[in-house]
Amino acid sequence: MNSNIQNWKKLLQAISLERDEEINFHRNEIKELPAREREKRGRAILNLKAKHGGFVLGERTLTDFSKKSTRKQDKTDIRRGDVIRISKMDDPEKEIALGTVWSISKKISITTDSKFPIDKKCLYRIDLAANDITYRRMEYAMDKFYENVGPGRRTREKIFKKENRWGRFSKKITEPDYLNESQKKAWEIGLKTAEISFIHGPPGTGKTTVATHIACSAANERKDHVLICAPSNIAIDNIAFKLLEFKNKNFLRIGHPARMDQQLEKYSLDYKLANTEDRQIVKLRTEAKLAAQELQEIKHPGRSLMRGLSDEEIISLGKRKTNTRGLRNNQIKILQNWVHSKKKNNSKFEKLREEEDKFKDKKIKEARIVLATCSTCGSEVLENHNFDLCILDEASQAPVPLALIPMLISGKTILVGDGKQLSPVVKNREAIKLGLKDTLFEHIEKEKPCNGKMLTTQYRMREKILSFPNSKWYQNKIHSAGKVFKYKNTLKQGSPIGQSEITAIDTNGLFKENLTKEDHSWKNLQEVQYVGKIISYLEKEKIKPSNIGIISPYKAQAKELKKISKDIEVHTVDGFQGREKDLIIISLVRSNKNKNIGFLSDEKRLNVSLTRAKKHLIIIGDKNTFSENKIFNELWQFIEKNGNYIKLKK
């Protein structure tokens, strides 16, 4: 990342390119692809009847969609929390509303910010859509960053000032006695550094634990107002559960309830608002609902009667009590009743919103710790709030403009992550060239090494599993805690895949890869079948499915692998970031004579894949296909020497 502010302006262009890439993908597919084909690909649900279903948390309008026919619904990629686009079947290019999936089963419930008119004669469709809100918030953060006053200037100083400043660090703050030495040092630097610091947490070293301890120490003992954020809702939920583990319940989760773990719903701002016993709010809600019912009972006068008259003109006509513009007195009275009822309705809801906003502000101030995604930090609900400390978890996955959003409302910032694991997801190639994959985490780690600490004790992997990534990406700086040496073998003696901590199964020339039209993603069905055989053996040996994880780099392969067992966790590499299992199976998929491995050459993805297993790691793939890749060659050699290498035969 170039520290020249002028060069950062390229990021604005990069944001625009990435936004267009995402939006145009869905827009073009809706325009060009037959509706039925898009439904088959899991990105749309067609022929839906709609009806309004009341309200949910946050006073969001709920609309229920159900299938017209009894035809079995195709499996869909649409999930709870997804942003979707609502349109009519006969006019798919005209967007009626954007919404969020609240629930999906036999019916699909969608929340929208406001109610939209439903035509009972029409059928609707919902499509996965891109939401440009995050892009707009990133652009706003960049604009603020350029300003030479206020939060933008303070943020620039945090990032670009070379000298290290130290803040207040009271000796009264209790040092967590069960942290190891590197964790204690990271905890101290995090609390002591005045402006910006980092915690480099390699796999299994407890970076989330340290970040949570810092938050609790700052909030409970120093009485700081703490903001914890991350690029994803999953990462935020992980920290929320860690806070509960530490018996700290004085936190507030901000964000759409459909995008957070349902177990955390009661800690959300929307839940607290929906269940408040505040007399004023309860009273105003009752009055607002009555006003809405009253308005609903009054028939809309219609365009022919309204004749383009504004509300003010209608009220003026009523005062004259004379026939005007071809309208009789009784018609004017109808118009008046409508206008007065509408104004009453609007007034009640405005007052309600004012009181609810006051309630939200109060709850945010009362909470010692506030949790939100980086994007949500730029929402209206937090725009009038400032925090003493911001902890940005998974900072190595946050592009610069995204990281700036929470930094603008915080006094100091701690970046927590690992630059050797997954980087930000950027689809547009030109945006990558312009620097959108760059992160503040890597910049601060490089430019201000004294402002942070690398954690060096890992608690997850057995030694042989750790050994390769340790030497390849962490200069052998990581050592294992005593507990990993006490792990017992999950695999029994005589196992067809051996007992080794790390096993490679070479399928050279036996299996065939296929490119799917639906997802433009690779799958290898023979490899799926072989994974199924391994799972069958593990089941016979009474190994719990909950202790097994399957990783594949490709979405299409992950879909097929999920069919093996509903009880085994299957994800792409991105989905397994931050996760761990006793036994991990990696399905590499690629098998071709051209030795083309695509994005599997990304070392960061390989690092994540190799570091999820606690006791046993099993890799299945075509060794020859990967033979021209240096890192994979080294991996195969390492396993042949230190693990169990199996070459499948016909």
Side-chain angles (χ1 to χ4, degrees), residues 248-496:
N248 191 325
K249 295 183 179 181
N250 189 16
F251 67 86
L252 188 66
R253 179 74 163 89
I254 296 177
H256 199 299
R259 297 192 184 109
M260 62 183 71
D261 192 293
Q262 288 179 288
Q263 297 178 66
L264 298 170
E265 197 175 83
K266 64 181 180 181
Y267 299 100
S268 73
L269 182 59
D270 284 343
Y271 180 89
K272 293 182 183 298
L273 178 60
N275 293 278
T276 182
E277 295 180 358
D278 183 283
R279 290 183 180 180
Q280 183 67 3
I281 292 176
V282 172
K283 180 187 173 189
L284 285 170
R285 280 177 181 169
T286 304
E287 291 176 356
K289 285 178 182 177
L290 287 171
Q293 288 172 7
E294 185 183 305
L295 182 62
Q296 210 167 10
E297 289 168 4
I298 299 173
K299 188 179 178 182
H300 191 282
R303 290 184 181 179
S304 59
L305 195 60
M306 295 287 289
R307 301 187 184 184
L309 294 167
S310 67
D311 292 349
E312 289 71 24
E313 286 174 324
I314 291 169
I315 293 169
S316 179
L317 288 175
K319 290 177 180 178
R320 298 178 196 175
K321 295 182 179 181
T322 56
N323 296 344
T324 312
R325 291 179 64 171
L327 293 169
R328 298 186 298 275
N329 281 334
N330 64 324
Q331 291 175 314
I332 293 171
K333 194 171 181 180
I334 291 170
L335 292 173
Q336 269 192 303
N337 287 340
W338 165 256
V339 170
H340 285 309
S341 185
K342 186 174 71 169
K343 282 184 173 291
K344 181 182 176 182
N345 178 73
N346 292 345
S347 174
K348 294 293 182 184
F349 273 95
E350 278 177 24
K351 287 180 181 177
L352 175 60
R353 294 288 178 263
E354 286 175 8
E355 288 301 315
E356 287 183 336
D357 287 344
K358 289 178 185 175
F359 177 88
K360 289 177 182 178
D361 285 339
K362 182 183 176 186
K363 288 296 173 185
I364 292 169
K365 288 174 182 175
E366 287 177 350
R368 298 304 324 158
I369 300 173
V370 174
L371 294 92
T373 64
C374 294
S375 177
T376 301
C377 291
S379 65
E380 290 181 358
V381 73
L382 287 174
E383 66 179 347
N384 296 319
H385 294 273
N386 284 289
F387 296 85
D388 300 303
L389 170 65
C390 167
I391 299 173
L392 205 173
D393 197 21
E394 301 295 356
S396 47
Q397 292 186 59
V400 171
L402 191 64
L404 290 178
I405 297 172
M407 289 180 69
L408 290 171
I409 57 172
S410 307
K412 64 173 285 184
T413 304
I414 302 172
L415 304 171
V416 184
D418 179 9
K420 303 299 181 181
Q421 295 190 65
L422 293 181
S423 52
V425 177
V426 182
K427 297 175 182 176
N428 186 277
R429 292 182 181 180
E430 190 60 31
I432 294 172
K433 291 179 184 176
L434 291 169
L436 200 57
K437 280 183 82 78
D438 295 343
T439 68
L440 280 176
F441 179 87
E442 290 173 295
H443 172 78
I444 298 299
E445 187 177 32
K446 181 183 176 182
E447 299 296 328
K448 301 188 179 191
C450 295
N451 281 35
K453 178 68 180 175
M454 176 178 169
L455 307 180
T456 54
T457 302
Q458 70 90 18
Y459 298 83
R460 177 184 297 161
M461 298 161 277
R462 295 171 79 177
E463 273 294 286
K464 285 183 181 177
I465 299 173
L466 167 67
S467 184
F468 184 81
N470 195 13
S471 63
K472 203 67 209 165
W473 295 294
Y474 301 105
Q475 296 80 49
N476 287 315
K477 292 180 179 179
I478 305 172
H479 60 270
S480 299
K483 77 170 197 175
V484 303
F485 295 101
K486 298 177 182 178
Y487 285 160
K488 294 180 181 178
N489 277 338
T490 301
L491 302 171
K492 294 184 178 180
Q493 193 171 2
S495 161

Side-chain angles (χ1 to χ4, degrees), residues 53 167 213 222 245 253 280 301 355 521 580 586 595 616:
H213 271 298
R222 202 162 65 187
E245 189 182 310
R253 179 74 163 89
Q280 183 67 3
E355 288 301 315
S521 177
E580 62 182 37
I586 302 173
K595 302 181 181 182
H616 298 281

Side-chain angles (χ1 to χ4, degrees), residues 156-191:
R156 286 203 305 272
E157 288 175 352
K158 285 185 205 177
I159 296 168
F160 294 136
K161 280 175 69 176
K162 289 290 183 182
E163 65 268 23
N164 188 38
R165 289 204 314 119
W166 301 101
R168 56 198 176 97
F169 183 77
S170 174
K171 291 183 179 179
K172 294 179 181 178
I173 296 179
T174 308
E175 184 182 85
D177 55 7
Y178 51 88
L179 296 181
N180 63 51
E181 287 307 307
S182 66
Q183 289 175 331
K184 286 179 181 177
K185 187 65 178 175
W187 172 85
E188 182 180 345
I189 291 174
L191 287 169

Side-chain angles (χ1 to χ4, degrees), residues 16-27 129-132 135 427-428:
S16 180
L17 288 168
E18 183 67 10
R19 171 174 46 212
D20 291 345
E21 180 89 15
E22 190 172 349
I23 291 174
N24 288 337
F25 170 80
H26 292 287
R27 186 179 290 162
N131 188 352
D132 77 336
Y135 296 107
K427 297 175 182 176
N428 186 277

